[in-house]
Amino acid sequence: MRASRLCAFALAVLILLSLTTPVLAELNFRVKSETVTPDGDLTVNREVFTKLVLEEMTPSLMGRTRLELKTDLTNPVWSIIVDSETPETYTKSSFDFVFDHELYDTITIQLSGNAPSVGVKTVIVLIEVTQVVAPTKTTIHTITRYVTSGRIDEALDAIQKAENQITRAENAIADAENSGVDVTEANEFLAIANGFLESANSLYNASKMNESIAAANNAYDSAVKAYNSARGASGWRSFRDYWICVAVIIAILIIAAVVYQKRRWERL
């Protein structure tokens, strides 16, 4: 009796889970090929050409599938080709297209447009294709690229250069501290460098690239001073310790010579 109750309880839990767990829609298409020209990151206003070919998951599919297509490109021109039929042209950023599985097997999506203006380096959607089987929407494929500009890249490079130099200065300061060296001055320069770096990042996020580059360069210069100060303090400590050792050795030799000479006189 107890075992039957447990089985009934487990069955009820499974039924409840099946009712509350969402069922993922099966995709009706798979990616056959994709191309993007040019390769890599895009520059602002650069013309872009994208081609995506989708094919049915299985030839046995019947009925129709509604597809939602969208892009972040400006001045988009879409060309939608099913099998070898005459292309259909669209000039919207987003639209719906109904694919008839009884008539066609593949869909070729061609898109040309321009990379949008951006304030910072940004990921944009070139093509996103979503399958709509009410009430579910499922993304079939998304093509993305970064959009940037020469000034944005220059700011990012300056920030990266400053970050690397700050890390180098931090390591030099840590080594000097472990050797018992006074690194007060080095830490002061490091604090200034970190302040400039924080400003550089804030200005970058505010799309003020010229100001960000200037702040990043100041951060780099201050980090160089911090590094040199830490290394200089360590070098002076090493130099001082070296001559202390030399002085001690000389003193020992003098004492030894005096003791030796005294014993010789005593023997005479």
Side-chain angles (χ1 to χ4, degrees), residues 27-35 51-57 106-107 109 129 139-143:
L27 293 178
N28 293 339
F29 296 89
R30 60 171 164 257
V31 177
K32 185 176 181 180
S33 65
E34 72 168 67
T35 57
K51 180 178 179 181
L52 176 64
V53 181
L54 303 176
E55 62 182 2
E56 293 180 318
M57 292 293 290
T106 64
I107 176 172
I109 304 166
V129 184
T139 300
I140 296 174
H141 193 61
T142 304
I143 303 175

PDB file of all heavy atoms in Angstrom, residues 27-35 51-57 106-107 109 129 139-143:
ATOM      1  N   LEU A  27      13.226  23.637 -34.241  1.00  0.00           N
ATOM      2  CA  LEU A  27      13.532  24.526 -35.349  1.00  0.00           C
ATOM      3  C   LEU A  27      13.193  23.862 -36.672  1.00  0.00           C
ATOM      4  O   LEU A  27      13.428  22.662 -36.860  1.00  0.00           O
ATOM      5  CB  LEU A  27      15.009  24.912 -35.331  1.00  0.00           C
ATOM      6  CG  LEU A  27      15.472  25.778 -34.160  1.00  0.00           C
ATOM      7  CD1 LEU A  27      16.966  26.033 -34.244  1.00  0.00           C
ATOM      8  CD2 LEU A  27      14.714  27.100 -34.142  1.00  0.00           C
ATOM      9  N   ASN A  28      12.638  24.637 -37.575  1.00  0.00           N
ATOM     10  CA  ASN A  28      12.298  24.116 -38.896  1.00  0.00           C
ATOM     11  C   ASN A  28      13.420  24.335 -39.903  1.00  0.00           C
ATOM     12  O   ASN A  28      13.336  23.835 -41.028  1.00  0.00           O
ATOM     13  CB  ASN A  28      11.021  24.788 -39.409  1.00  0.00           C
ATOM     14  CG  ASN A  28       9.803  24.393 -38.592  1.00  0.00           C
ATOM     15  OD1 ASN A  28       9.803  23.372 -37.906  1.00  0.00           O
ATOM     16  ND2 ASN A  28       8.763  25.214 -38.648  1.00  0.00           N
ATOM     17  N   PHE A  29      14.461  25.089 -39.496  1.00  0.00           N
ATOM     18  CA  PHE A  29      15.559  25.393 -40.416  1.00  0.00           C
ATOM     19  C   PHE A  29      16.901  25.177 -39.738  1.00  0.00           C
ATOM     20  O   PHE A  29      17.008  25.233 -38.517  1.00  0.00           O
ATOM     21  CB  PHE A  29      15.483  26.863 -40.879  1.00  0.00           C
ATOM     22  CG  PHE A  29      14.265  27.201 -41.672  1.00  0.00           C
ATOM     23  CD1 PHE A  29      13.108  27.637 -41.031  1.00  0.00           C
ATOM     24  CD2 PHE A  29      14.254  27.094 -43.048  1.00  0.00           C
ATOM     25  CE1 PHE A  29      11.978  27.969 -41.751  1.00  0.00           C
ATOM     26  CE2 PHE A  29      13.126  27.426 -43.781  1.00  0.00           C
ATOM     27  CZ  PHE A  29      11.981  27.856 -43.129  1.00  0.00           C
ATOM     28  N   ARG A  30      17.908  24.942 -40.563  1.00  0.00           N
ATOM     29  CA  ARG A  30      19.297  24.924 -40.101  1.00  0.00           C
ATOM     30  C   ARG A  30      20.127  25.782 -41.038  1.00  0.00           C
ATOM     31  O   ARG A  30      19.759  26.012 -42.194  1.00  0.00           O
ATOM     32  CB  ARG A  30      19.840  23.488 -40.046  1.00  0.00           C
ATOM     33  CG  ARG A  30      19.825  22.762 -41.371  1.00  0.00           C
ATOM     34  CD  ARG A  30      20.576  21.429 -41.276  1.00  0.00           C
ATOM     35  NE  ARG A  30      20.249  20.578 -42.413  1.00  0.00           N
ATOM     36  CZ  ARG A  30      19.423  19.546 -42.357  1.00  0.00           C
ATOM     37  NH1 ARG A  30      18.817  19.243 -41.212  1.00  0.00           N
ATOM     38  NH2 ARG A  30      19.171  18.813 -43.430  1.00  0.00           N
ATOM     39  N   VAL A  31      21.263  26.242 -40.531  1.00  0.00           N
ATOM     40  CA  VAL A  31      22.134  27.117 -41.317  1.00  0.00           C
ATOM     41  C   VAL A  31      22.940  26.281 -42.302  1.00  0.00           C
ATOM     42  O   VAL A  31      23.643  25.347 -41.922  1.00  0.00           O
ATOM     43  CB  VAL A  31      23.082  27.919 -40.407  1.00  0.00           C
ATOM     44  CG1 VAL A  31      24.034  28.760 -41.242  1.00  0.00           C
ATOM     45  CG2 VAL A  31      22.290  28.797 -39.454  1.00  0.00           C
ATOM     46  N   LYS A  32      22.836  26.640 -43.567  1.00  0.00           N
ATOM     47  CA  LYS A  32      23.622  25.973 -44.603  1.00  0.00           C
ATOM     48  C   LYS A  32      24.934  26.709 -44.845  1.00  0.00           C
ATOM     49  O   LYS A  32      25.996  26.090 -44.997  1.00  0.00           O
ATOM     50  CB  LYS A  32      22.814  25.887 -45.904  1.00  0.00           C
ATOM     51  CG  LYS A  32      23.509  25.107 -47.009  1.00  0.00           C
ATOM     52  CD  LYS A  32      22.623  24.983 -48.233  1.00  0.00           C
ATOM     53  CE  LYS A  32      23.310  24.169 -49.328  1.00  0.00           C
ATOM     54  NZ  LYS A  32      22.437  24.046 -50.536  1.00  0.00           N
ATOM     55  N   SER A  33      24.867  28.059 -44.858  1.00  0.00           N
ATOM     56  CA  SER A  33      26.089  28.846 -45.045  1.00  0.00           C
ATOM     57  C   SER A  33      25.826  30.287 -44.634  1.00  0.00           C
ATOM     58  O   SER A  33      24.676  30.736 -44.572  1.00  0.00           O
ATOM     59  CB  SER A  33      26.578  28.804 -46.494  1.00  0.00           C
ATOM     60  OG  SER A  33      25.637  29.435 -47.346  1.00  0.00           O
ATOM     61  N   GLU A  34      26.908  31.022 -44.350  1.00  0.00           N
ATOM     62  CA  GLU A  34      26.814  32.456 -44.072  1.00  0.00           C
ATOM     63  C   GLU A  34      28.102  33.135 -44.484  1.00  0.00           C
ATOM     64  O   GLU A  34      29.192  32.555 -44.392  1.00  0.00           O
ATOM     65  CB  GLU A  34      26.530  32.737 -42.596  1.00  0.00           C
ATOM     66  CG  GLU A  34      27.700  32.462 -41.663  1.00  0.00           C
ATOM     67  CD  GLU A  34      27.466  33.022 -40.261  1.00  0.00           C
ATOM     68  OE1 GLU A  34      26.577  32.520 -39.567  1.00  0.00           O
ATOM     69  OE2 GLU A  34      28.200  33.944 -39.877  1.00  0.00           O
ATOM     70  N   THR A  35      27.985  34.351 -44.970  1.00  0.00           N
ATOM     71  CA  THR A  35      29.154  35.153 -45.329  1.00  0.00           C
ATOM     72  C   THR A  35      28.907  36.593 -44.897  1.00  0.00           C
ATOM     73  O   THR A  35      27.777  37.080 -44.926  1.00  0.00           O
ATOM     74  CB  THR A  35      29.436  35.130 -46.844  1.00  0.00           C
ATOM     75  OG1 THR A  35      28.279  35.578 -47.552  1.00  0.00           O
ATOM     76  CG2 THR A  35      29.806  33.731 -47.310  1.00  0.00           C
ATOM     77  N   LYS A  51      25.174  37.487 -46.238  1.00  0.00           N
ATOM     78  CA  LYS A  51      24.368  36.470 -46.919  1.00  0.00           C
ATOM     79  C   LYS A  51      24.209  35.272 -45.992  1.00  0.00           C
ATOM     80  O   LYS A  51      25.186  34.746 -45.459  1.00  0.00           O
ATOM     81  CB  LYS A  51      25.038  36.035 -48.224  1.00  0.00           C
ATOM     82  CG  LYS A  51      24.250  34.979 -49.001  1.00  0.00           C
ATOM     83  CD  LYS A  51      24.966  34.641 -50.307  1.00  0.00           C
ATOM     84  CE  LYS A  51      24.223  33.577 -51.102  1.00  0.00           C
ATOM     85  NZ  LYS A  51      24.931  33.238 -52.370  1.00  0.00           N
ATOM     86  N   LEU A  52      22.971  34.850 -45.805  1.00  0.00           N
ATOM     87  CA  LEU A  52      22.659  33.715 -44.946  1.00  0.00           C
ATOM     88  C   LEU A  52      21.738  32.767 -45.704  1.00  0.00           C
ATOM     89  O   LEU A  52      20.700  33.186 -46.233  1.00  0.00           O
ATOM     90  CB  LEU A  52      21.970  34.199 -43.665  1.00  0.00           C
ATOM     91  CG  LEU A  52      21.472  33.133 -42.687  1.00  0.00           C
ATOM     92  CD1 LEU A  52      22.642  32.326 -42.118  1.00  0.00           C
ATOM     93  CD2 LEU A  52      20.664  33.771 -41.565  1.00  0.00           C
ATOM     94  N   VAL A  53      22.131  31.514 -45.777  1.00  0.00           N
ATOM     95  CA  VAL A  53      21.324  30.495 -46.456  1.00  0.00           C
ATOM     96  C   VAL A  53      20.817  29.498 -45.419  1.00  0.00           C
ATOM     97  O   VAL A  53      21.609  28.891 -44.690  1.00  0.00           O
ATOM     98  CB  VAL A  53      22.129  29.760 -47.548  1.00  0.00           C
ATOM     99  CG1 VAL A  53      21.251  28.719 -48.243  1.00  0.00           C
ATOM    100  CG2 VAL A  53      22.681  30.749 -48.566  1.00  0.00           C
ATOM    101  N   LEU A  54      19.499  29.325 -45.369  1.00  0.00           N
ATOM    102  CA  LEU A  54      18.863  28.363 -44.465  1.00  0.00           C
ATOM    103  C   LEU A  54      18.187  27.274 -45.293  1.00  0.00           C
ATOM    104  O   LEU A  54      17.663  27.549 -46.381  1.00  0.00           O
ATOM    105  CB  LEU A  54      17.810  29.052 -43.584  1.00  0.00           C
ATOM    106  CG  LEU A  54      18.280  30.228 -42.722  1.00  0.00           C
ATOM    107  CD1 LEU A  54      17.085  30.838 -42.003  1.00  0.00           C
ATOM    108  CD2 LEU A  54      19.336  29.786 -41.722  1.00  0.00           C
ATOM    109  N   GLU A  55      18.194  26.071 -44.759  1.00  0.00           N
ATOM    110  CA  GLU A  55      17.482  24.978 -45.421  1.00  0.00           C
ATOM    111  C   GLU A  55      16.597  24.261 -44.413  1.00  0.00           C
ATOM    112  O   GLU A  55      16.835  24.316 -43.204  1.00  0.00           O
ATOM    113  CB  GLU A  55      18.467  23.994 -46.054  1.00  0.00           C
ATOM    114  CG  GLU A  55      19.397  23.312 -45.073  1.00  0.00           C
ATOM    115  CD  GLU A  55      20.377  22.378 -45.759  1.00  0.00           C
ATOM    116  OE1 GLU A  55      20.345  22.303 -47.005  1.00  0.00           O
ATOM    117  OE2 GLU A  55      21.163  21.730 -45.048  1.00  0.00           O
ATOM    118  N   GLU A  56      15.576  23.601 -44.917  1.00  0.00           N
ATOM    119  CA  GLU A  56      14.655  22.879 -44.056  1.00  0.00           C
ATOM    120  C   GLU A  56      15.387  21.791 -43.273  1.00  0.00           C
ATOM    121  O   GLU A  56      16.329  21.172 -43.781  1.00  0.00           O
ATOM    122  CB  GLU A  56      13.539  22.237 -44.866  1.00  0.00           C
ATOM    123  CG  GLU A  56      12.585  23.208 -45.515  1.00  0.00           C
ATOM    124  CD  GLU A  56      11.507  22.486 -46.306  1.00  0.00           C
ATOM    125  OE1 GLU A  56      11.849  21.499 -47.005  1.00  0.00           O
ATOM    126  OE2 GLU A  56      10.342  22.903 -46.242  1.00  0.00           O
ATOM    127  N   MET A  57      14.937  21.568 -42.054  1.00  0.00           N
ATOM    128  CA  MET A  57      15.525  20.492 -41.256  1.00  0.00           C
ATOM    129  C   MET A  57      15.236  19.136 -41.877  1.00  0.00           C
ATOM    130  O   MET A  57      16.059  18.217 -41.810  1.00  0.00           O
ATOM    131  CB  MET A  57      14.976  20.546 -39.832  1.00  0.00           C
ATOM    132  CG  MET A  57      15.445  21.761 -39.041  1.00  0.00           C
ATOM    133  SD  MET A  57      17.217  21.741 -38.698  1.00  0.00           S
ATOM    134  CE  MET A  57      17.307  20.407 -37.505  1.00  0.00           C
ATOM    135  N   THR A 106      14.754  25.825 -49.465  1.00  0.00           N
ATOM    136  CA  THR A 106      15.785  26.715 -48.909  1.00  0.00           C
ATOM    137  C   THR A 106      15.337  28.173 -49.008  1.00  0.00           C
ATOM    138  O   THR A 106      14.487  28.529 -49.833  1.00  0.00           O
ATOM    139  CB  THR A 106      17.127  26.573 -49.652  1.00  0.00           C
ATOM    140  OG1 THR A 106      16.957  26.997 -51.008  1.00  0.00           O
ATOM    141  CG2 THR A 106      17.636  25.147 -49.593  1.00  0.00           C
ATOM    142  N   ILE A 107      15.944  28.985 -48.160  1.00  0.00           N
ATOM    143  CA  ILE A 107      15.730  30.430 -48.218  1.00  0.00           C
ATOM    144  C   ILE A 107      17.085  31.117 -48.112  1.00  0.00           C
ATOM    145  O   ILE A 107      17.884  30.806 -47.219  1.00  0.00           O
ATOM    146  CB  ILE A 107      14.770  30.917 -47.109  1.00  0.00           C
ATOM    147  CG1 ILE A 107      14.652  32.451 -47.135  1.00  0.00           C
ATOM    148  CG2 ILE A 107      15.210  30.438 -45.738  1.00  0.00           C
ATOM    149  CD1 ILE A 107      13.578  33.004 -46.212  1.00  0.00           C
ATOM    150  N   ILE A 109      18.953  34.681 -47.651  1.00  0.00           N
ATOM    151  CA  ILE A 109      18.725  36.032 -47.140  1.00  0.00           C
ATOM    152  C   ILE A 109      19.967  36.861 -47.422  1.00  0.00           C
ATOM    153  O   ILE A 109      21.034  36.600 -46.870  1.00  0.00           O
ATOM    154  CB  ILE A 109      18.431  36.005 -45.628  1.00  0.00           C
ATOM    155  CG1 ILE A 109      17.238  35.094 -45.329  1.00  0.00           C
ATOM    156  CG2 ILE A 109      18.197  37.403 -45.093  1.00  0.00           C
ATOM    157  CD1 ILE A 109      17.096  34.752 -43.857  1.00  0.00           C
ATOM    158  N   VAL A 129      17.345  35.993 -37.402  1.00  0.00           N
ATOM    159  CA  VAL A 129      16.177  35.303 -37.942  1.00  0.00           C
ATOM    160  C   VAL A 129      15.503  34.540 -36.814  1.00  0.00           C
ATOM    161  O   VAL A 129      16.136  33.716 -36.148  1.00  0.00           O
ATOM    162  CB  VAL A 129      16.564  34.332 -39.078  1.00  0.00           C
ATOM    163  CG1 VAL A 129      15.307  33.708 -39.688  1.00  0.00           C
ATOM    164  CG2 VAL A 129      17.375  35.042 -40.146  1.00  0.00           C
ATOM    165  N   THR A 139      14.861  31.786 -31.810  1.00  0.00           N
ATOM    166  CA  THR A 139      15.887  32.332 -32.698  1.00  0.00           C
ATOM    167  C   THR A 139      16.556  31.213 -33.478  1.00  0.00           C
ATOM    168  O   THR A 139      17.076  30.259 -32.906  1.00  0.00           O
ATOM    169  CB  THR A 139      16.947  33.108 -31.900  1.00  0.00           C
ATOM    170  OG1 THR A 139      16.314  34.180 -31.200  1.00  0.00           O
ATOM    171  CG2 THR A 139      18.017  33.667 -32.824  1.00  0.00           C
ATOM    172  N   ILE A 140      16.533  31.326 -34.779  1.00  0.00           N
ATOM    173  CA  ILE A 140      17.180  30.339 -35.641  1.00  0.00           C
ATOM    174  C   ILE A 140      18.668  30.635 -35.764  1.00  0.00           C
ATOM    175  O   ILE A 140      19.513  29.756 -35.582  1.00  0.00           O
ATOM    176  CB  ILE A 140      16.529  30.341 -37.041  1.00  0.00           C
ATOM    177  CG1 ILE A 140      15.071  29.886 -36.937  1.00  0.00           C
ATOM    178  CG2 ILE A 140      17.306  29.427 -37.989  1.00  0.00           C
ATOM    179  CD1 ILE A 140      14.316  29.988 -38.254  1.00  0.00           C
ATOM    180  N   HIS A 141      19.007  31.909 -36.028  1.00  0.00           N
ATOM    181  CA  HIS A 141      20.421  32.258 -36.192  1.00  0.00           C
ATOM    182  C   HIS A 141      20.587  33.773 -36.065  1.00  0.00           C
ATOM    183  O   HIS A 141      19.708  34.538 -36.465  1.00  0.00           O
ATOM    184  CB  HIS A 141      20.931  31.801 -37.560  1.00  0.00           C
ATOM    185  CG  HIS A 141      22.422  31.847 -37.692  1.00  0.00           C
ATOM    186  ND1 HIS A 141      23.262  31.105 -36.888  1.00  0.00           N
ATOM    187  CD2 HIS A 141      23.230  32.568 -38.521  1.00  0.00           C
ATOM    188  CE1 HIS A 141      24.518  31.352 -37.231  1.00  0.00           C
ATOM    189  NE2 HIS A 141      24.521  32.233 -38.211  1.00  0.00           N
ATOM    190  N   THR A 142      21.714  34.173 -35.494  1.00  0.00           N
ATOM    191  CA  THR A 142      22.046  35.588 -35.362  1.00  0.00           C
ATOM    192  C   THR A 142      23.483  35.811 -35.812  1.00  0.00           C
ATOM    193  O   THR A 142      24.385  35.081 -35.399  1.00  0.00           O
ATOM    194  CB  THR A 142      21.891  36.069 -33.908  1.00  0.00           C
ATOM    195  OG1 THR A 142      20.569  35.793 -33.449  1.00  0.00           O
ATOM    196  CG2 THR A 142      22.148  37.573 -33.805  1.00  0.00           C
ATOM    197  N   ILE A 143      23.682  36.827 -36.640  1.00  0.00           N
ATOM    198  CA  ILE A 143      25.022  37.219 -37.066  1.00  0.00           C
ATOM    199  C   ILE A 143      25.303  38.586 -36.474  1.00  0.00           C
ATOM    200  O   ILE A 143      24.538  39.536 -36.690  1.00  0.00           O
ATOM    201  CB  ILE A 143      25.137  37.281 -38.600  1.00  0.00           C
ATOM    202  CG1 ILE A 143      24.754  35.937 -39.226  1.00  0.00           C
ATOM    203  CG2 ILE A 143      26.558  37.663 -39.014  1.00  0.00           C
ATOM    204  CD1 ILE A 143      24.739  35.960 -40.747  1.00  0.00           C
TER     205      ILE A 143
END
